[in-house]
Amino acid sequence: MAIEAGTKAPDFELKDNHGRTVRLSDFRGEKNVVLLFYPFAFTGVCTGELCALRDELPAFENDDTQLLAVSNDSIHTLRVFAEQEGLEYPLLSDFWPHGETSRAYGVFDEDKGCAVRGTFVIDKEGVVRWTVVNGLPDARDLNDYVKALEAL
């Protein structure tokens, strides 16, 4: 079960698509974070969601907000995916230990071996303020993220 609004967001340390270490705690006191989990790079719905974020990036990555997208793919897969799709925001690899961060947020599907579509809006103090979890085939609505950020 996914963690709920009002919960302190579990910290994590993951590598991005360029091999850099990213920690949620690095943004504490500085930026709100839109933490987006998705099943796999190169799949139809995931590509559509991540490209829609790319097209609206100033709403999700600016002086006040950082977008972090997490999948269970390797950093090498994520690097090629980001280059192919022109994704300029961090794609984080929850590859090994496989799904550790996805499990901490309650969005890892043990049967499929990947994260489901979970999004968490985390405030500057590290508290989850809004969340949505969709099944694997169901895309999320970016406008919901914008409304959640505006409410902070």
Side-chain angles (χ1 to χ4, degrees), residues 68-87:
L68 300 174
V70 181
S71 78
N72 304 114
D73 296 298
S74 73
I75 62 170
H76 311 292
T77 300
L78 295 176
R79 183 176 306 124
V80 173
F81 181 55
E83 289 171 3
Q84 179 178 306
E85 300 299 335
L87 305 176

Side-chain angles (χ1 to χ4, degrees), residues 31-93:
K31 290 187 174 195
N32 301 308
V33 174
V34 176
L35 180 63
L36 175 123
F37 291 88
Y38 63 100
F40 294 111
F42 297 106
T43 57
V45 176
C46 295
T47 300
E49 284 187 315
L50 296 176
C51 288
L53 286 163
R54 174 200 64 205
D55 296 345
E56 300 296 329
L57 195 56
F60 304 105
E61 195 166 280
N62 52 55
D63 290 342
D64 222 29
T65 305
Q66 177 66 50
L67 172 63
L68 300 174
V70 181
S71 78
N72 304 114
D73 296 298
S74 73
I75 62 170
H76 311 292
T77 300
L78 295 176
R79 183 176 306 124
V80 173
F81 181 55
E83 289 171 3
Q84 179 178 306
E85 300 299 335
L87 305 176
E88 298 292 326
Y89 51 89
L91 302 183
L92 306 181
S93 174

Side-chain angles (χ1 to χ4, degrees), residues 114-137:
C114 66
V116 295
R117 297 181 195 287
T119 304
F120 302 87
V121 173
I122 303 165
D123 69 15
K124 293 177 183 178
E125 279 67 55
V127 176
V128 175
R129 293 297 174 193
W130 180 87
T131 183
V132 65
V133 178
N134 287 5
L136 294 177

Side-chain angles (χ1 to χ4, degrees), residues 10-28 31 33-35 61 66-70 75 78 88-94 100-101 105:
D11 198 14
F12 57 79
E13 181 177 303
L14 297 171
K15 297 283 186 189
D16 73 4
N17 48 307
H18 298 289
R20 297 177 293 224
T21 300
V22 176
R23 293 172 196 83
L24 179 63
S25 57
D26 290 345
F27 302 99
R28 197 152 300 136
K31 290 187 174 195
V33 174
V34 176
L35 180 63
E61 195 166 280
Q66 177 66 50
L67 172 63
L68 300 174
V70 181
I75 62 170
L78 295 176
E88 298 292 326
Y89 51 89
L91 302 183
L92 306 181
S93 174
D94 190 18
E100 182 177 66
T101 300
Y105 281 80

